[in-house]
Amino acid sequence: MYNKQGFSGLPICMAKTQYSFSHNAFEKGAPSGFVLPIRDVRASIGARFIYPLVETMSTTPGLPTRPCFYDIDIDTTTGKVVGLS
């Protein structure tokens, strides 16, 4: 799907447990003979990479295209912060 959309040249970013090269944190170090269970593949087009989701690995929300701090300001008349609610 990503190849058809023109993203075949994007690098792949892998997130994993820090304890093992496998998906299983209990298999310490560099185990062999395991199958890496990839449940989905997603693309972060703005950041220019593709990332597979391994077993139960979760992701964190990304930043919006336009950060919210652009809408926060101080009303110079009252001294109050506006744009936070």
Coordinates of all heavy atoms in Angstrom, one line a residue:
M1 N 0.8 -1.2 0.0 CA 0.0 0.0 0.0 C 0.9 1.3 0.0 O 0.6 2.2 -0.8 CB -0.9 0.0 1.2 CG -1.8 1.3 1.4 SD -2.8 1.3 2.8 CE -1.7 1.4 4.1
Y2 N 1.9 1.3 0.9 CA 2.8 2.5 0.9 C 3.6 2.6 -0.3 O 3.9 3.7 -0.8 CB 3.6 2.4 2.2 CG 2.8 2.5 3.5 CD1 2.9 1.5 4.4 CD2 2.0 3.6 3.7 CE1 2.1 1.6 5.6 CE2 1.2 3.7 4.8 CZ 1.3 2.7 5.8 OH 0.6 2.8 6.9
N3 N 4.0 1.5 -1.0 CA 4.7 1.6 -2.2 C 3.8 2.2 -3.3 O 4.3 3.1 -4.0 CB 5.1 0.2 -2.7 CG 6.2 -0.4 -1.9 OD1 6.9 0.3 -1.1 ND2 6.5 -1.7 -2.0
K4 N 2.6 1.8 -3.4 CA 1.7 2.4 -4.4 C 1.4 3.9 -4.2 O 1.2 4.6 -5.1 CB 0.3 1.7 -4.3 CG 0.4 0.3 -4.9 CD -1.0 -0.4 -4.8 CE -0.9 -1.8 -5.3 NZ -2.2 -2.5 -5.1
Q5 N 1.5 4.3 -2.9 CA 1.3 5.8 -2.6 C 2.6 6.6 -2.8 O 2.6 7.8 -2.5 CB 0.8 5.9 -1.2 CG -0.6 5.3 -1.0 CD -1.1 5.3 0.4 OE1 -0.3 5.4 1.4 NE2 -2.4 5.2 0.6
G6 N 3.7 5.9 -3.2 CA 4.9 6.7 -3.4 C 5.9 6.8 -2.2 O 6.8 7.6 -2.2
F7 N 5.6 6.0 -1.2 CA 6.5 6.0 0.0 C 7.4 4.9 0.2 O 7.8 4.5 1.3 CB 5.6 6.2 1.2 CG 4.6 7.3 1.2 CD1 3.3 7.1 1.2 CD2 5.1 8.6 1.1 CE1 2.4 8.2 1.2 CE2 4.3 9.7 1.0 CZ 2.9 9.5 1.1
S8 N 7.8 4.2 -0.9 CA 8.6 3.0 -0.9 C 10.0 3.3 -0.4 O 10.7 2.4 0.1 CB 8.7 2.3 -2.2 OG 9.2 3.2 -3.2
G9 N 10.5 4.6 -0.5 CA 11.8 4.9 -0.1 C 12.0 5.3 1.3 O 13.1 5.7 1.8
L10 N 10.9 5.3 2.1 CA 11.0 5.8 3.5 C 11.7 4.7 4.4 O 11.5 3.5 4.2 CB 9.6 6.0 4.1 CG 8.8 7.2 3.4 CD1 7.5 7.3 4.2 CD2 9.6 8.5 3.5
P11 N 12.5 5.1 5.3 CA 13.1 4.2 6.2 C 12.1 3.6 7.2 O 11.1 4.1 7.4 CB 14.2 5.0 7.0 CG 13.7 6.4 6.9 CD 12.9 6.5 5.6
I12 N 12.5 2.4 7.7 CA 11.6 1.8 8.7 C 12.2 2.0 10.1 O 13.4 1.8 10.3 CB 11.5 0.3 8.4 CG1 10.8 0.1 7.1 CG2 10.8 -0.5 9.6 CD1 10.7 -1.4 6.6
C13 N 11.4 2.5 11.0 CA 11.7 2.7 12.4 C 11.1 1.6 13.3 O 9.9 1.4 13.3 CB 11.2 4.1 12.9 SG 11.6 4.4 14.6
M14 N 12.0 0.9 14.0 CA 11.5 -0.3 14.8 C 11.6 0.1 16.3 O 12.7 0.6 16.7 CB 12.4 -1.5 14.6 CG 12.2 -2.2 13.3 SD 10.6 -3.0 13.1 CE 10.6 -4.2 14.3
A15 N 10.5 0.0 17.0 CA 10.6 0.2 18.5 C 10.4 -1.2 19.1 O 9.7 -2.1 18.6 CB 9.4 1.0 18.9
K16 N 11.2 -1.5 20.1 CA 11.2 -2.8 20.8 C 11.5 -2.6 22.2 O 11.9 -1.6 22.7 CB 12.2 -3.7 20.1 CG 13.6 -3.2 20.2 CD 14.6 -4.3 19.8 CE 15.9 -4.0 20.3 NZ 16.1 -4.0 21.8
T17 N 11.4 -3.7 23.0 CA 11.8 -3.7 24.4 C 13.3 -3.5 24.5 O 14.1 -4.0 23.6 CB 11.4 -5.0 25.1 OG1 11.9 -5.0 26.4 CG2 11.8 -6.2 24.4
Q18 N 13.8 -2.9 25.5 CA 15.2 -2.6 25.6 C 16.0 -3.9 26.1 O 17.2 -3.9 26.2 CB 15.5 -1.5 26.6 CG 15.1 -1.7 28.0 CD 13.7 -1.3 28.3 OE1 12.8 -1.3 27.5 NE2 13.4 -0.9 29.6
Y19 N 15.3 -4.9 26.5 CA 15.9 -6.1 27.1 C 16.2 -7.2 26.1 O 16.9 -8.1 26.4 CB 15.0 -6.7 28.2 CG 14.7 -5.7 29.3 CD1 13.4 -5.2 29.5 CD2 15.7 -5.2 30.1 CE1 13.1 -4.3 30.5 CE2 15.5 -4.3 31.1 CZ 14.2 -3.8 31.3 OH 13.9 -2.9 32.3
S20 N 15.6 -7.2 24.9 CA 15.8 -8.3 24.0 C 15.6 -7.8 22.6 O 14.9 -6.9 22.3 CB 14.7 -9.3 24.3 OG 14.8 -10.4 23.4
F21 N 16.3 -8.5 21.6 CA 16.1 -8.3 20.2 C 14.7 -8.8 19.8 O 14.2 -8.5 18.7 CB 17.2 -8.9 19.4 CG 18.4 -8.0 19.3 CD1 19.6 -8.5 19.7 CD2 18.3 -6.7 19.0 CE1 20.8 -7.7 19.7 CE2 19.4 -5.8 19.0 CZ 20.7 -6.4 19.3
S22 N 14.1 -9.7 20.6 CA 12.8 -10.3 20.2 C 11.7 -9.4 20.8 O 12.0 -8.3 21.4 CB 12.7 -11.7 20.8 OG 12.4 -11.6 22.2
H23 N 10.5 -9.8 20.6 CA 9.3 -9.0 21.1 C 9.1 -9.4 22.6 O 8.3 -8.7 23.2 CB 8.1 -9.4 20.3 CG 7.7 -10.8 20.5 ND1 8.4 -11.9 19.8 CD2 6.7 -11.4 21.2 CE1 7.8 -13.0 20.2 NE2 6.8 -12.7 21.0
N24 N 9.8 -10.4 23.1 CA 9.6 -10.9 24.4 C 10.7 -10.4 25.4 O 11.8 -10.8 25.3 CB 9.5 -12.4 24.4 CG 9.2 -13.0 25.8 OD1 9.2 -12.3 26.8 ND2 8.9 -14.3 25.7
A25 N 10.3 -9.5 26.3 CA 11.3 -9.0 27.3 C 11.9 -10.0 28.1 O 13.0 -9.8 28.7 CB 10.6 -7.9 28.1
F26 N 11.3 -11.2 28.3 CA 11.9 -12.2 29.1 C 13.0 -13.0 28.4 O 13.7 -13.8 29.0 CB 10.8 -13.2 29.6 CG 9.8 -12.5 30.5 CD1 8.5 -12.1 30.0 CD2 10.1 -12.1 31.8 CE1 7.6 -11.5 30.8 CE2 9.2 -11.4 32.6 CZ 8.0 -11.1 32.1
E27 N 13.0 -12.9 27.1 CA 14.1 -13.6 26.3 C 15.2 -12.6 26.2 O 15.4 -11.8 25.2 CB 13.6 -14.0 24.9 CG 12.5 -15.0 24.9 CD 12.0 -15.4 23.6 OE1 12.7 -15.1 22.6 OE2 11.0 -16.0 23.5
K28 N 16.1 -12.5 27.2 CA 17.1 -11.5 27.3 C 18.2 -11.6 26.2 O 18.4 -12.7 25.7 CB 17.8 -11.6 28.7 CG 16.9 -11.5 29.8 CD 16.4 -10.1 30.1 CE 15.6 -10.1 31.4 NZ 14.4 -9.4 31.3
G29 N 18.8 -10.5 25.9 CA 19.9 -10.5 24.9 C 19.5 -10.7 23.5 O 18.6 -10.0 23.0
A30 N 20.1 -11.6 22.8 CA 19.9 -11.8 21.4 C 19.4 -13.3 21.1 O 20.2 -14.1 20.6 CB 21.2 -11.5 20.6
P31 N 18.2 -13.6 21.5 CA 17.7 -14.9 21.2 C 17.6 -15.2 19.8 O 17.6 -14.3 18.9 CB 16.3 -14.9 21.9 CG 15.9 -13.5 21.9 CD 17.2 -12.7 22.0
S32 N 17.4 -16.5 19.4 CA 17.3 -16.9 18.0 C 16.1 -17.8 17.9 O 15.5 -18.3 18.9 CB 18.5 -17.6 17.5 OG 18.8 -18.7 18.2
G33 N 15.6 -18.0 16.7 CA 14.5 -18.9 16.4 C 13.2 -18.4 16.8 O 12.3 -19.2 17.0
F34 N 13.0 -17.1 16.8 CA 11.6 -16.6 17.2 C 11.0 -15.9 15.9 O 11.7 -15.5 15.0 CB 11.7 -15.6 18.3 CG 12.5 -14.4 18.0 CD1 11.9 -13.2 17.5 CD2 13.9 -14.3 18.3 CE1 12.6 -12.1 17.3 CE2 14.6 -13.2 18.0 CZ 14.0 -12.1 17.5
V35 N 9.7 -15.8 15.9 CA 9.0 -15.0 14.9 C 8.5 -13.7 15.5 O 7.9 -13.7 16.5 CB 7.8 -15.9 14.4 CG1 7.0 -15.1 13.4 CG2 8.3 -17.2 13.8
L36 N 8.8 -12.6 14.8 CA 8.4 -11.3 15.3 C 7.0 -11.0 14.9 O 6.7 -10.9 13.7 CB 9.4 -10.3 14.7 CG 9.3 -8.9 15.4 CD1 9.7 -8.9 16.8 CD2 10.2 -7.9 14.6
P37 N 6.1 -11.0 15.8 CA 4.6 -10.8 15.5 C 4.3 -9.4 15.2 O 4.1 -8.5 16.1 CB 3.9 -11.3 16.8 CG 4.9 -11.0 17.9 CD 6.3 -11.2 17.3
I38 N 4.2 -9.0 13.9 CA 3.8 -7.6 13.5 C 2.3 -7.6 13.3 O 1.8 -8.3 12.5 CB 4.6 -7.2 12.3 CG1 6.1 -7.3 12.6 CG2 4.1 -5.9 11.8 CD1 7.0 -6.5 11.8
R39 N 1.6 -6.7 14.1 CA 0.2 -6.7 14.0 C -0.3 -5.6 13.1 O -1.5 -5.6 12.6 CB -0.4 -6.5 15.4 CG -0.1 -5.2 16.1 CD -0.7 -5.1 17.5 NE -0.1 -4.1 18.3 CZ -0.6 -2.9 18.4 NH1 -1.7 -2.5 17.7 NH2 0.0 -2.0 19.1
D40 N 0.5 -4.6 12.7 CA 0.1 -3.6 11.8 C 1.4 -2.8 11.3 O 2.4 -2.9 12.0 CB -0.8 -2.6 12.5 CG -1.6 -1.7 11.6 OD1 -1.6 -1.9 10.4 OD2 -2.3 -0.8 12.1
V41 N 1.2 -2.1 10.2 CA 2.3 -1.2 9.8 C 1.7 0.1 9.5 O 0.7 0.2 8.9 CB 2.9 -1.8 8.5 CG1 4.0 -0.8 7.9 CG2 3.5 -3.2 8.7
R42 N 2.3 1.1 10.0 CA 1.8 2.5 9.9 C 2.9 3.4 9.3 O 4.1 3.1 9.4 CB 1.4 3.1 11.2 CG 0.2 2.3 11.8 CD -0.3 2.9 13.1 NE -1.3 2.1 13.7 CZ -1.8 2.3 14.9 NH1 -1.2 3.2 15.7 NH2 -2.7 1.5 15.4
A43 N 2.5 4.5 8.8 CA 3.5 5.5 8.2 C 3.3 6.8 8.9 O 2.2 7.3 9.2 CB 3.2 5.7 6.7
S44 N 4.4 7.4 9.2 CA 4.5 8.8 9.7 C 5.0 9.6 8.6 O 6.2 9.8 8.5 CB 5.3 8.9 11.0 OG 5.3 10.2 11.5
I45 N 4.1 10.0 7.7 CA 4.6 10.7 6.5 C 5.3 12.0 6.7 O 6.3 12.3 6.1 CB 3.4 10.9 5.5 CG1 2.7 9.6 5.2 CG2 3.8 11.6 4.3 CD1 3.6 8.5 4.6
G46 N 4.8 12.8 7.7 CA 5.4 14.1 8.0 C 6.8 13.9 8.5 O 7.8 14.7 8.2
A47 N 7.1 12.9 9.3 CA 8.4 12.6 9.9 C 9.2 11.7 8.9 O 10.4 11.5 9.1 CB 8.2 11.9 11.2
R48 N 8.6 11.3 7.9 CA 9.2 10.5 6.8 C 9.8 9.2 7.2 O 10.9 8.8 6.9 CB 10.3 11.3 6.1 CG 10.0 12.7 5.7 CD 9.3 12.9 4.4 NE 10.0 12.2 3.3 CZ 9.3 11.7 2.3 NH1 8.0 11.8 2.2 NH2 9.9 11.1 1.3
F49 N 9.0 8.3 7.9 CA 9.3 7.0 8.2 C 8.1 6.1 8.3 O 7.0 6.5 8.5 CB 10.2 6.8 9.4 CG 9.6 7.2 10.7 CD1 8.8 6.3 11.5 CD2 9.7 8.5 11.2 CE1 8.2 6.7 12.7 CE2 9.2 8.9 12.4 CZ 8.4 8.0 13.2
I50 N 8.4 4.8 8.2 CA 7.3 3.7 8.3 C 7.7 3.0 9.6 O 8.8 2.7 9.9 CB 7.3 2.8 7.1 CG1 6.8 3.6 5.9 CG2 6.4 1.6 7.3 CD1 6.9 2.9 4.6
Y51 N 6.6 2.6 10.3 CA 6.9 1.8 11.6 C 5.9 0.7 11.8 O 4.7 0.8 11.7 CB 6.9 2.7 12.8 CG 5.6 3.5 13.1 CD1 4.7 3.0 14.0 CD2 5.3 4.6 12.4 CE1 3.6 3.7 14.3 CE2 4.1 5.3 12.6 CZ 3.3 4.9 13.6 OH 2.1 5.6 13.9
P52 N 6.5 -0.5 11.9 CA 5.6 -1.7 12.2 C 5.3 -1.7 13.7 O 6.0 -1.2 14.6 CB 6.5 -2.9 11.9 CG 7.9 -2.4 12.0 CD 7.8 -0.9 11.7
L53 N 4.1 -2.1 14.1 CA 3.7 -2.3 15.5 C 3.8 -3.8 15.8 O 3.2 -4.6 15.2 CB 2.2 -1.9 15.6 CG 1.9 -0.4 15.4 CD1 0.5 -0.1 15.5 CD2 2.7 0.5 16.3
V54 N 4.7 -4.0 16.8 CA 5.0 -5.4 17.2 C 4.2 -5.8 18.4 O 4.2 -5.1 19.4 CB 6.5 -5.5 17.5 CG1 6.9 -6.9 18.0 CG2 7.4 -5.1 16.3
E55 N 3.5 -6.9 18.3 CA 2.6 -7.4 19.3 C 1.9 -6.3 20.1 O 1.0 -5.7 19.5 CB 3.5 -8.3 20.3 CG 2.6 -9.3 21.0 CD 3.4 -10.3 21.8 OE1 4.1 -9.9 22.7 OE2 3.4 -11.5 21.4
T56 N 2.2 -6.1 21.4 CA 1.4 -5.1 22.2 C 2.1 -3.8 22.3 O 1.6 -3.0 23.1 CB 1.1 -5.7 23.6 OG1 2.4 -6.0 24.2 CG2 0.3 -7.0 23.5
M57 N 3.1 -3.5 21.5 CA 3.8 -2.3 21.6 C 2.8 -1.1 21.3 O 2.1 -1.1 20.4 CB 5.0 -2.2 20.6 CG 5.8 -1.0 20.6 SD 6.9 -0.8 22.1 CE 8.0 -2.1 21.9
S58 N 2.8 -0.1 22.2 CA 1.9 1.0 22.0 C 2.6 2.2 21.5 O 3.9 2.3 21.5 CB 1.2 1.4 23.4 OG 2.2 1.7 24.3
T59 N 1.9 3.1 20.9 CA 2.5 4.4 20.4 C 2.0 5.5 21.2 O 0.9 5.5 21.8 CB 2.1 4.5 18.9 OG1 0.7 4.6 18.8 CG2 2.7 3.4 18.1
T60 N 2.7 6.6 21.1 CA 2.2 7.9 21.8 C 1.7 8.8 20.7 O 2.1 8.7 19.5 CB 3.4 8.6 22.5 OG1 4.4 8.9 21.6 CG2 3.9 7.7 23.6
P61 N 0.8 9.7 21.1 CA 0.2 10.6 20.1 C 1.3 11.5 19.5 O 2.2 11.9 20.2 CB -0.8 11.4 20.9 CG -1.0 10.7 22.1 CD 0.2 9.9 22.4
G62 N 1.2 11.8 18.2 CA 2.1 12.7 17.6 C 1.6 14.2 17.8 O 0.6 14.4 18.3
L63 N 2.5 15.1 17.3 CA 2.1 16.5 17.4 C 1.2 16.8 16.2 O 1.4 16.3 15.1 CB 3.4 17.3 17.4 CG 4.3 17.2 18.6 CD1 5.6 18.0 18.4 CD2 3.6 17.6 19.8
P64 N 0.3 17.8 16.4 CA -0.5 18.3 15.3 C 0.4 19.0 14.3 O 1.5 19.5 14.6 CB -1.5 19.2 15.9 CG -0.9 19.6 17.2 CD 0.0 18.5 17.6
T65 N -0.2 19.3 13.1 CA 0.5 20.0 12.1 C 0.8 21.4 12.6 O 1.9 22.0 12.3 CB -0.3 20.1 10.8 OG1 -0.6 18.7 10.4 CG2 0.4 20.8 9.7
R66 N -0.1 22.0 13.2 CA 0.0 23.4 13.8 C -0.1 23.3 15.3 O -1.1 23.0 15.9 CB -1.1 24.3 13.3 CG -1.0 25.7 13.7 CD -2.1 26.6 13.0 NE -2.0 27.9 13.4 CZ -2.6 28.5 14.5 NH1 -3.3 27.7 15.3 NH2 -2.4 29.7 14.8
P67 N 1.1 23.5 16.0 CA 1.1 23.3 17.5 C 0.1 24.3 18.2 O -0.1 25.4 17.7 CB 2.5 23.7 17.9 CG 3.3 23.4 16.6 CD 2.4 23.7 15.5
C68 N -0.5 23.9 19.2 CA -1.5 24.7 20.0 C -1.0 25.9 20.6 O -1.7 26.9 20.9 CB -2.2 23.8 21.0 SG -3.1 22.4 20.4
F69 N 0.3 26.0 20.8 CA 0.9 27.2 21.5 C 0.7 28.5 20.6 O 0.7 29.6 21.1 CB 2.3 27.0 21.9 CG 3.3 27.0 20.7 CD1 3.8 28.2 20.2 CD2 3.8 25.9 20.2 CE1 4.7 28.2 19.1 CE2 4.8 25.8 19.2 CZ 5.2 27.0 18.7
Y70 N 0.4 28.3 19.3 CA 0.1 29.5 18.5 C -1.2 30.2 18.9 O -1.4 31.3 18.6 CB 0.0 29.1 17.0 CG 1.3 28.8 16.3 CD1 1.6 27.5 15.9 CD2 2.2 29.8 16.1 CE1 2.8 27.2 15.3 CE2 3.4 29.5 15.5 CZ 3.7 28.3 15.1 OH 4.9 28.0 14.5
D71 N -2.1 29.4 19.6 CA -3.4 30.0 20.0 C -3.4 30.5 21.4 O -4.4 30.9 22.0 CB -4.5 28.9 19.9 CG -4.6 28.4 18.4 OD1 -4.5 29.3 17.5 OD2 -4.8 27.2 18.2
I72 N -2.2 30.4 22.1 CA -2.1 30.9 23.5 C -1.5 32.2 23.5 O -0.5 32.5 22.9 CB -1.3 29.9 24.4 CG1 -2.0 28.5 24.3 CG2 -1.2 30.4 25.8 CD1 -1.2 27.4 24.9
D73 N -2.0 33.1 24.3 CA -1.5 34.5 24.4 C -1.8 35.1 25.7 O -2.5 34.5 26.5 CB -2.1 35.3 23.2 CG -1.3 36.5 22.8 OD1 -0.3 36.8 23.5 OD2 -1.6 37.2 21.8
I74 N -1.4 36.3 25.9 CA -1.7 37.1 27.1 C -2.5 38.3 26.7 O -2.0 39.1 25.9 CB -0.4 37.5 27.9 CG1 0.3 36.2 28.4 CG2 -0.7 38.4 29.1 CD1 1.6 36.5 29.1
D75 N -3.6 38.5 27.4 CA -4.4 39.7 27.2 C -3.7 40.8 27.9 O -3.6 40.8 29.1 CB -5.8 39.5 27.7 CG -6.7 40.7 27.4 OD1 -6.2 41.9 27.4 OD2 -7.9 40.5 27.3
T76 N -3.1 41.8 27.2 CA -2.3 42.8 27.8 C -3.1 43.8 28.6 O -2.6 44.5 29.5 CB -1.5 43.6 26.7 OG1 -2.4 44.1 25.7 CG2 -0.5 42.7 26.1
T77 N -4.4 43.8 28.4 CA -5.3 44.7 29.2 C -5.5 44.1 30.6 O -5.4 44.8 31.6 CB -6.6 44.9 28.5 OG1 -6.4 45.3 27.2 CG2 -7.5 45.9 29.3
T78 N -5.8 42.8 30.6 CA -6.1 42.1 31.9 C -5.0 41.4 32.5 O -5.0 41.0 33.7 CB -7.3 41.1 31.7 OG1 -6.9 40.1 30.8 CG2 -8.5 41.9 31.2
G79 N -4.0 41.0 31.7 CA -2.8 40.2 32.2 C -3.1 38.8 32.2 O -2.3 38.0 32.7
K80 N -4.3 38.3 31.7 CA -4.7 36.9 31.8 C -4.3 36.2 30.6 O -4.2 36.7 29.5 CB -6.2 36.8 32.0 CG -6.7 37.3 33.3 CD -8.2 37.1 33.5 CE -8.6 37.6 34.9 NZ -10.0 37.3 35.2
V81 N -4.0 34.9 30.8 CA -3.7 34.0 29.7 C -4.9 33.6 29.0 O -5.9 33.3 29.6 CB -2.9 32.8 30.2 CG1 -2.6 31.8 29.0 CG2 -1.6 33.1 30.9
V82 N -4.9 33.7 27.6 CA -6.1 33.3 26.8 C -5.7 32.2 25.9 O -4.5 32.0 25.5 CB -6.7 34.5 26.0 CG1 -7.2 35.5 26.9 CG2 -5.6 35.1 25.1
G83 N -6.7 31.3 25.5 CA -6.4 30.3 24.6 C -6.1 28.9 25.2 O -5.8 28.0 24.5
L84 N -6.3 28.8 26.5 CA -6.0 27.5 27.1 C -7.3 26.6 27.3 O -7.2 25.5 27.7 CB -5.4 27.7 28.5 CG -4.0 28.3 28.5 CD1 -3.5 28.5 29.9 CD2 -3.0 27.3 27.7
S85 N -8.4 27.2 27.1 CA -9.7 26.4 27.3 C -10.5 26.4 26.1 O -10.3 27.1 25.2 CB -10.5 26.9 28.5 OG -10.8 28.3 28.3

